[in-house]
């Protein structure tokens, strides 16, 4: 929002440029090369009022990385050559978002705000705003970058967060050594005390045409900046009530009427000086025809909340949950930790930057009342998104080309919202019965096992168990793989499985929502081999949740109304695949080519018309009749509790469904297509939505084994940074450029993904040329450089996980756990 008015996107452009050379380290790729050679990585992002840069690196090379990093803020070069080239990367980044509905709606919100407010500007930038038009105005983009950096990159508005193995005194000395020379220009932190939505922008309704076939309704109210009230969190309190998903909630009533499937609500950050409160729902086919009725229901819930007034017990329950989550919080990855803390340094006292989002203790009902007083029809904007408005709009947004109409909210609706009445089905949340109270750790096993142990092996069930002896948190993880041979035999059965899991999760949502708030969650998804159940969180009440899930599973009844709604949702998700970005198409069709069996979106779409409610009912009975179960229990458990978990599963499914074991030979492992040596195959398809082309080039190597795994990973490590520097930075093939390993079903290889404005055959030649150049690159590599890469790979491979969660890829050793249905 601090971009010059005639140079939209300059802050974002400046972010890109700081990576491309400094006075002390003038080589454009010096920073990224150093990090890559020492097991590190980096990134940055620019938001409305902040730019955040961050990196990680092997601990012994932290000082060297910090030195290179600090030069960004002291003496960047902004060379003319890099400036002319990198504007293409910004343009390519913007191009990839042009057909993205999230970006389009966000910019439409901004573009329809007060045109004199900085919030209304275009933040990403493109070649026109950063090169073509500035030159037409007699401006030099490089000089403008220098001016922007000189004006805003000041030490008094910077926050620096570092995390290392050194002592606090040593880290403090490093920061002083490298950052004390960042100039203090006594810049005032920009603040915008006036909302971008004034009287002229309120009581408006936007009718928007999306790219994908999606339907949404959103309400937005401008509110004061709530950052200073972080000790009482009034926005969180109100979002908790309106966004609740349990019995009696607004969402439950809307779902019962068949109008929506999902609802989110809460405080939405604007910038320093103003905030927003929002309420968003998706819409069913029937729902988009009842928008006014939905809004009236929303105001009925707001009226209920106002009538009841702020409830201290609700505040205290939320407060206690946040304290509990903070007390038993998993360790963040170092990069994520410093990223978060650096942002908090700008907003909160130094001593509270680690706890500011968790610990609040000031009960301020007057602030809740103040916020509620802002949720009025006169202070509201409405947005309705749907394909039904195609051909009926009269305006086009300037930067993304979004078709829309903006009109006044009807007086009739405004009058109804002033006195919406009360709905007897709407209730405040009940007390949360899933909040754990037992945080004791289980008695330690005498033998500290490094890997899960097989502790039960029957024709129906295999149980793997491992007690956590590293994180020592009162949390557990239950992973259950149900091997069911029929779930992926053809596109019809694949659709039936998808529809069943959607309906099942939908039916349990009211019950499990409280559990999720209390730090206990589950997921049930269909896989190519059956279905996969995962429960994670505080171990105290996991058996209760597991029992409820299995009881629901074995007594599941198809709701005809929800069946029609969710079947139509699956149809739209399959149709909408055509609007995904080009690189996602390239990745998907590459999988289709090399996997033994993978149904395409079109095959599933064609088969969806054969799905009936009777077929689904029969399918559910069939999948529960025969299966094989592979289970892992990991965390705050002992052998007895892990066996109790399996007993719950077996007792319920056998008693309720008479489940029997499948034959051992029915446990199928999917394979990869073998690509013969010296062969080359190409699959081409079109993307009619996005302007960019994309390709994935996959070089299949061999079956995985220890030696080939290490060699391929080392090769990928060596070429990773040169690939980005050559194809992205120097040749500017596109914003999305990557090289990585691809591993699936025991087979591995190297892949390149590029999304570009260039034709795929040209990009393919550039990738091939790059790969050939790597032969000389490696042959001429010094022993020192080779050892750097070797050490970097060892650092990555030996780094400890920070979260108390057993990696799914290692859970059971099967092929199907990572094969979630595509």
């Amino acid at each position: 929002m601090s971009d010059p008015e005639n140079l939209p996107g300059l802050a974002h452009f400046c972010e890109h440029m700081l990576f491309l050379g400094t006075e002390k380290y003038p080589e454009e790729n010096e920073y990224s090369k150093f990090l890559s050679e020492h097991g590190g990585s980096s990134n940055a992002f620019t938001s409305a009022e902040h730019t955040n840069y961050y990196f990680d690196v092997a601990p012994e090379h932290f000082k060297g990385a910090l030195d290179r990093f600090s030069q960004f803020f002291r003496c960047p070069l902004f060379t003319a050559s890099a400036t002319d080239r990198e504007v293409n990367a910004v343009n390519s980044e913007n191009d990839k978002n042009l057909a993205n509905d999230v970006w389009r709606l966000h910019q439409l919100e901004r573009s329809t705000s007060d045109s004199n407010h900085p919030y209304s500007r275009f933040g990403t930038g493109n070649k026109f705003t950063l090169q073509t038009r500035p030159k037409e105005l007699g401006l030099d983009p490089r000089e403008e970058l220098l001016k922007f950096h000189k004006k805003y990159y000041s030490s008094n508005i910077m926050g620096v967060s570092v995390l290392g193995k050194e002592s606090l005194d040593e880290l403090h000395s490093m920061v002083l050594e490298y950052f004390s020379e960042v100039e203090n220009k006594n810049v005032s932190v920009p603040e915008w005390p006036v909302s971008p939505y004034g009287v002229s922008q309120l009581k408006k309704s936007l009718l928007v045409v999306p790219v994908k076939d999606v339907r949404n309704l959103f309400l937005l109210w401008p509110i004061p900046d709530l950052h200073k009230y972080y000790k009482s969190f009034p926005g969180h309190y109100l979002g908790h009530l309106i966004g609740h998903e349990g019995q009696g909630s607004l969402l439950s009533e809307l779902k019962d009427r068949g109008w929506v499937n999902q609802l989110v609500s809460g405080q939405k950050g604007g910038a320093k000086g103003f905030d927003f409160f929002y309420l968003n729902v998706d819409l069913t086919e029937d729902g988009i025809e009842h928008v006014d009725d939905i809004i009236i229901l929303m105001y009925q819930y707001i009226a209920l909340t106002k009538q009841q007034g702020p409830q201290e017990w609700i505040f205290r329950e939320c407060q206690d949950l946040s304290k509990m989550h903070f007390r038993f919080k998993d360790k963040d990855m170092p990069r994520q930790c410093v990223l978060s803390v650096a942002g908090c340094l700008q907003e909160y006292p130094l001593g509270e930057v680690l706890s500011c989002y968790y610990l609040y203790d000031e009960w301020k009902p007057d602030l809740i009342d103040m916020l509620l007083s802002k949720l009025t029809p006169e202070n509201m904007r409405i947005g309705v998104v749907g394909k039904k408005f195609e051909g009926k709009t009269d305006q086009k947004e300037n930067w993304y080309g979004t078709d829309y109409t903006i009109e006044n909210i009807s007086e009739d609706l405004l009058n109804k919202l002033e006195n919406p009445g009360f709905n007897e089905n709407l209730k405040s949340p009940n007390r949360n019965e899933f909040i754990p109270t037992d945080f004791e750790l289980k008695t330690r096993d005498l033998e500290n096992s490094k890997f899960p142990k097989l502790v039960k092996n029957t024709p129906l069930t295999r149980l793997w168990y491992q007690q956590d002896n590293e994180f020592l948190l009162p949390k557990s993880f239950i992973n259950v793989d149900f091997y069911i041979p029929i779930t992926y035999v053809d596109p019809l059965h694949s659709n039936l499985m998808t529809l069943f899991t959607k309906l099942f999760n939908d039916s349990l949502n009211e019950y499990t929502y409280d559990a999720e708030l209390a730090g206990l969650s589950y997921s049930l998804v269909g896989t190519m081999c059956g279905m996969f159940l995962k429960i994670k969180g505080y171990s105290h009440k996991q058996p209760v949740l597991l029992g409820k899930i299995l009881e629901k599973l074995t007594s599941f009844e198809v709701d005809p109304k929800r069946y029609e709604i969710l079947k139509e949702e699956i149809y739209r998700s399959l149709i909408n695949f055509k609007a995904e970005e080009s690189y996602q198409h390239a990745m998907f069709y590459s999988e289709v080519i090399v996997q033994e069996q993978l149904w395409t979106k079109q095959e599933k779409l064609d088969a969806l018309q054969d799905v009936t409610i009777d077929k689904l009912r029969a399918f559910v009975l069939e999948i529960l009749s025969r299966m094989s179960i592979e289970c892992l229990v990991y965390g705050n458990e002992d052998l007895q509790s892990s066996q109790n978990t399996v007993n719950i599963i077996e007792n319920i499914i056998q008693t309720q469904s008479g489940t029997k074991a499948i034959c051992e030979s029915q446990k199928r492992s999917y394979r990869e297509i073998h690509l013969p040596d010296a062969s080359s195959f190409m699959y081409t398809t079109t993307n009619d939505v996005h302007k960019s082309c994309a390709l994935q080039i996959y070089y299949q190597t061999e079956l995985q084994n220890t030696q080939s795994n290490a060699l391929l990973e080392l090769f990928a490590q060596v070429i990773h940074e040169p690939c980005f520097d050559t194809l992205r930075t120097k040749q500017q093939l596109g914003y999305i450029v990557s090289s990585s390993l691809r591993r699936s079903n025991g087979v591995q290889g190297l892949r390149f993904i590029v999304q570009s404005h260039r034709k795929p055959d040209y990009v393919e030649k550039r990738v091939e040329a790059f790969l050939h150049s790597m032969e000389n690159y490696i042959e001429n590599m010094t022993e020192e450089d080779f050892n750097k890469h070797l050490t970097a790979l060892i650092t990555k491979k030996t780094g400890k996980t920070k979260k108390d969660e057993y990696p799914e890829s290692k859970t059971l050793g099967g092929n199907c756990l990572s094969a979630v249905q595509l």
Side-chain angles (χ1 to χ4, degrees):
M1 286 172 59
S2 295
D3 288 338
E5 192 171 351
N6 56 2
L7 278 163
L10 190 64
H12 179 218
F13 190 20
C14 183
E15 169 216 309
H16 274 240
M17 290 300 302
L18 292 195
F19 288 82
L20 301 179
T22 60
E23 289 180 11
K24 185 174 181 181
Y25 299 102
E27 290 295 322
E28 286 184 5
N29 67 330
E30 169 59 32
Y31 173 66
S32 57
K33 183 171 181 287
F34 182 88
L35 293 177
S36 179
E37 289 176 344
H38 298 104
S41 59
S42 69
N43 212 332
F45 64 87
T46 296
S47 61
E49 54 182 341
H50 293 105
T51 298
N52 193 316
Y53 303 85
Y54 51 97
F55 73 86
D56 57 13
V57 72
E60 56 270 23
H61 297 283
F62 182 54
K63 193 169 184 178
L66 200 63
D67 179 19
R68 287 159 176 79
F69 181 67
S70 67
Q71 305 304 316
F72 286 17
F73 316 105
R74 294 162 61 182
C75 52
L77 288 179
F78 295 114
T79 66
S81 171
T83 302
D84 286 341
R85 278 183 283 110
E86 194 61 21
V87 73
N88 293 310
V90 175
N91 191 70
S92 179
E93 181 178 356
N94 181 65
D95 279 352
K96 83 177 182 66
N97 298 327
L98 289 178
N100 184 305
D101 284 316
V102 174
W103 283 88
R104 291 164 72 89
L105 290 172
H106 175 68
Q107 185 59 50
L108 184 60
E109 285 184 15
R110 299 181 68 157
S111 296
T112 55
S113 67
D114 184 350
S115 60
N116 294 316
H117 198 289
Y119 184 75
S120 68
R121 296 174 188 165
F122 172 46
T124 305
N126 58 28
K127 196 164 186 174
F128 174 73
T129 68
L130 296 170
Q131 187 179 76
T132 305
R133 189 170 64 181
K135 289 184 177 179
E136 290 173 354
L137 297 173
L139 300 173
D140 180 349
R142 179 176 181 272
E143 288 300 319
E144 296 304 316
L145 285 166
L146 288 165
K147 288 179 190 176
F148 185 87
H149 188 278
K150 184 175 180 60
K151 180 177 181 179
Y152 287 111
Y153 278 66
S154 172
S155 64
N156 73 302
I157 60 170
M158 284 178 64
V160 179
S161 171
V162 297
L163 186 156
K165 64 178 184 179
E166 296 81 1
S167 68
L168 287 177
D169 287 342
E170 289 172 317
L171 291 172
H172 183 255
S173 296
M174 277 192 220
V175 172
L176 287 178
E177 178 181 356
Y178 294 120
F179 288 91
S180 60
E181 292 185 23
V182 177
E183 185 179 352
N184 181 0
K185 301 159 189 174
N186 295 310
V187 176
S188 297
V189 175
E191 188 169 354
W192 300 270
V194 177
S195 172
Y197 297 120
V199 174
S200 300
Q201 290 80 40
L202 295 173
K203 294 195 291 184
K204 299 292 183 183
S205 179
L206 278 76
L207 310 179
V208 187
V209 179
V211 174
K212 291 183 176 180
D213 187 1
V214 294
R215 297 183 292 264
N216 294 99
L217 165 67
F218 62 86
L219 274 60
L220 184 140
W221 298 267
I223 60 173
D225 185 350
L226 298 179
H227 277 85
K228 59 185 175 183
Y229 305 125
Y230 71 96
K231 283 289 191 180
S232 54
F233 263 7
H236 175 76
Y237 175 94
L238 203 54
H240 170 72
L241 290 182
I242 299 175
H244 206 275
E245 299 181 16
Q247 285 188 340
S249 66
L250 174 59
L251 174 62
S252 289
E253 178 64 12
L254 291 169
K255 285 175 69 173
D256 285 346
R257 298 192 184 202
W259 291 343
V260 310
N261 292 318
Q262 296 175 331
L263 180 152
V264 290
S265 179
Q267 177 184 341
K268 177 180 177 181
K272 199 170 184 64
F274 65 91
D275 275 338
F276 308 112
F277 194 88
Y278 70 96
L279 205 171
N280 292 0
V281 295
D282 71 334
L283 297 169
T284 64
E285 284 184 296
D286 195 27
I288 202 166
E289 304 302 327
H290 289 85
V291 166
D292 285 3
D293 296 322
I294 293 170
I295 296 172
I296 290 170
L297 268 171
M298 292 173 172
Y299 270 86
Q300 286 178 340
Y301 198 91
I302 292 169
L304 171 69
T305 307
K306 289 179 178 179
Q307 180 195 52
Q308 294 181 338
Q311 304 289 305
E312 186 171 1
W313 77 264
I314 295 177
F315 174 84
R316 296 301 178 195
E317 184 175 272
C318 293
Q319 178 192 25
D320 290 343
L321 283 171
S322 289
K323 283 182 179 178
M324 178 185 74
H325 295 326
F326 183 69
R327 177 185 173 190
F328 299 111
K329 185 176 182 293
D330 294 327
K331 286 185 178 180
D332 289 323
M333 295 300 290
R335 196 168 86 162
Q336 182 60 40
C337 178
V338 294
L339 184 159
S340 174
V341 169
C344 291
L345 285 169
Q346 303 283 359
E347 307 288 346
Y348 305 102
L350 184 61
E352 298 176 27
V353 293
L354 295 177
S355 61
C356 56
Y357 294 134
Y358 296 91
L359 304 184
Y360 50 95
D361 54 12
E362 295 180 1
W363 167 237
K364 295 285 185 70
D366 56 313
L367 291 178
I368 297 170
D369 286 331
M370 178 276 291
L371 190 53
L372 276 168
S373 72
K374 303 296 181 182
L375 307 190
T376 65
E378 292 76 18
N379 192 44
M380 175 182 68
R381 286 167 60 90
I382 297 171
V384 188
V385 181
K387 287 288 189 181
K388 69 173 287 186
F389 303 119
E390 241 170 354
K392 302 175 184 178
T393 58
D394 57 8
Q395 296 190 58
K396 190 178 287 288
E397 195 276 324
N398 185 45
W399 300 109
Y400 287 79
T402 306
D403 292 319
Y404 72 100
T405 289
I406 187 165
E407 55 190 26
N408 294 324
I409 300 174
S410 71
E411 288 298 323
D412 179 58
L413 179 59
L414 289 172
N415 291 334
K416 290 178 179 177
L417 298 180
E418 286 291 347
N419 296 287
F422 293 94
N423 186 312
E424 62 181 11
N425 295 329
L426 299 178
K427 312 287 183 185
S428 290
N430 295 317
R431 295 182 187 273
N432 192 334
E433 300 297 329
F434 271 102
I435 297 175
T437 55
D438 181 2
F439 302 110
E440 292 297 316
L441 296 182
K442 300 282 187 183
T443 303
R444 299 293 89 192
D445 289 346
L446 295 177
E447 179 187 350
N448 183 4
S449 175
K450 197 173 181 181
F451 302 103
K453 295 184 294 186
L454 183 63
V455 295
K456 182 173 184 177
N457 190 0
T458 69
L460 178 64
T461 307
R462 295 210 308 172
L463 169 63
W464 299 83
Y465 157 71
Q466 184 182 13
Q467 187 177 73
D468 163 47
N469 285 292
E470 181 177 357
F471 300 99
L472 302 179
L473 294 173
K475 299 179 181 180
S476 300
F477 301 85
I478 301 171
N479 290 355
V480 187
D481 209 346
F482 298 93
Y483 285 85
I484 306 169
I486 68 166
T487 58
Y488 205 72
V489 294
D490 55 31
L492 172 62
H493 283 77
S494 175
N495 283 330
L496 288 169
M497 191 67 206
T498 301
L499 185 53
F500 164 64
T501 53
K502 272 186 171 291
L503 283 163
F504 178 85
N505 293 326
D506 180 73
S507 68
L508 263 184
N509 188 63
E510 279 189 352
Y511 178 81
T512 59
Y513 184 74
D514 274 347
E516 189 167 348
L517 290 178
L520 180 58
S521 63
Y522 92 99
S523 65
L524 180 72
V525 296
T527 72
M528 295 172 73
C529 297
M531 58 185 179
F532 182 58
L533 171 66
K534 179 176 182 177
I535 300 176
K536 65 177 182 177
Y538 297 97
S539 50
H540 179 204
K541 299 193 176 181
Q542 277 194 5
V544 177
L545 179 60
L546 175 63
K548 179 67 175 182
I549 291 169
L550 290 164
E551 286 170 7
K552 185 71 175 179
L553 184 68
T554 53
S555 61
F556 181 75
E557 300 261 343
V558 179
D559 181 328
K561 191 174 184 179
R562 297 303 295 165
Y563 163 83
E564 294 295 342
I565 289 170
L566 294 180
K567 181 181 176 183
E568 192 270 340
E569 185 179 273
I570 292 171
Y571 169 81
R572 283 188 293 125
S573 72
L574 292 169
I575 286 287
N576 285 334
F577 178 70
K578 67 184 180 185
E580 297 293 347
E581 289 189 59
S582 300
Y583 81 93
Q584 292 176 311
H585 283 195
M587 293 174 66
F588 175 76
Y589 287 111
S590 294
E591 295 299 310
V592 172
I593 292 169
V594 299
Q595 288 205 27
E596 178 184 11
Q597 183 172 295
L598 181 63
W599 308 123
T600 67
K601 307 298 181 183
Q602 188 58 51
E603 288 170 335
K604 294 178 69 173
L605 193 60
D606 293 340
L608 190 62
Q609 60 188 335
D610 297 327
V611 172
T612 66
I613 194 167
D614 289 335
K615 286 181 180 177
L616 180 61
R617 287 172 175 146
F619 173 80
V620 174
L621 293 175
E622 189 173 4
I623 64 173
L624 293 175
S625 65
R626 287 190 177 275
M627 63 176 64
S628 175
I629 301 169
E630 192 115 14
C631 179
L632 168 78
V633 178
Y634 166 77
N636 182 36
E637 303 288 347
D638 56 27
L639 181 59
Q640 184 61 54
S641 66
S642 70
Q643 291 173 332
N644 290 342
T645 295
V646 162
N647 290 339
I648 292 173
I649 298 172
E650 290 182 333
N651 290 341
I652 293 177
I653 66 169
Q654 289 181 317
T655 302
Q656 302 295 328
S657 299
T659 305
K660 296 180 180 179
I662 61 173
C663 300
E664 191 67 27
S665 60
Q666 289 180 281
K667 297 179 184 179
R668 181 175 180 182
S669 295
Y670 284 90
R671 299 178 296 174
E672 294 274 303
I673 303 297
H674 177 243
L675 304 181
D677 289 345
S679 64
S680 177
F681 304 93
M682 178 181 292
Y683 178 88
T684 60
T685 186
T686 57
N687 186 327
D688 299 323
V689 177
H690 293 268
K691 60 194 295 187
S692 297
C693 300
L695 81 163
Q696 172 172 300
I697 303 176
Y698 171 57
Y699 301 94
Q700 191 182 78
T701 54
E702 57 187 322
L703 293 173
Q704 288 184 243
N705 61 64
T706 303
Q707 183 177 18
S708 64
N709 289 359
L711 287 172
L712 186 58
E713 288 185 31
L714 182 58
F715 181 65
Q717 159 69 31
V718 169
I719 71 168
H720 178 74
E721 192 281 328
C723 172
F724 190 86
D725 182 56
T726 302
L727 303 180
R728 161 75 148 70
T729 304
K730 291 187 171 66
Q731 297 183 15
Q732 285 294 322
L733 292 184
Y735 179 72
I736 295 176
V737 174
S738 71
S739 63
S740 62
L741 301 183
R742 178 194 173 275
R743 285 176 171 153
S744 179
N745 300 322
V747 181
Q748 63 183 345
L750 183 72
R751 68 178 173 186
F752 293 85
I753 300 170
V754 181
Q755 182 165 292
S756 177
H757 60 286
R758 302 270 196 169
K759 296 295 183 184
D761 56 347
Y762 175 83
V763 177
E764 182 188 10
K765 290 175 183 176
R766 300 320 307 156
V767 172
E768 287 280 357
F770 165 75
L771 202 51
H772 284 303
S773 73
M774 286 297 96
E775 186 174 0
N776 289 332
Y777 181 82
I778 293 173
E779 284 180 354
N780 296 325
M781 184 180 292
T782 65
E783 191 73 20
E784 180 185 1
D785 286 342
F786 175 79
N787 286 329
K788 285 179 183 177
H789 286 293
L790 194 61
T791 303
L793 181 59
I794 292 171
T795 299
K796 291 177 182 178
K797 299 294 287 183
T798 55
K800 287 186 177 181
T801 182
K802 301 296 178 183
K803 291 184 178 292
D804 178 20
E805 180 167 1
Y806 208 84
E808 287 180 21
S809 60
K810 300 178 182 177
T811 302
L812 304 176
N815 288 330
C816 291
L817 288 178
S818 60
V820 175
Q821 183 177 313
L822 295 171

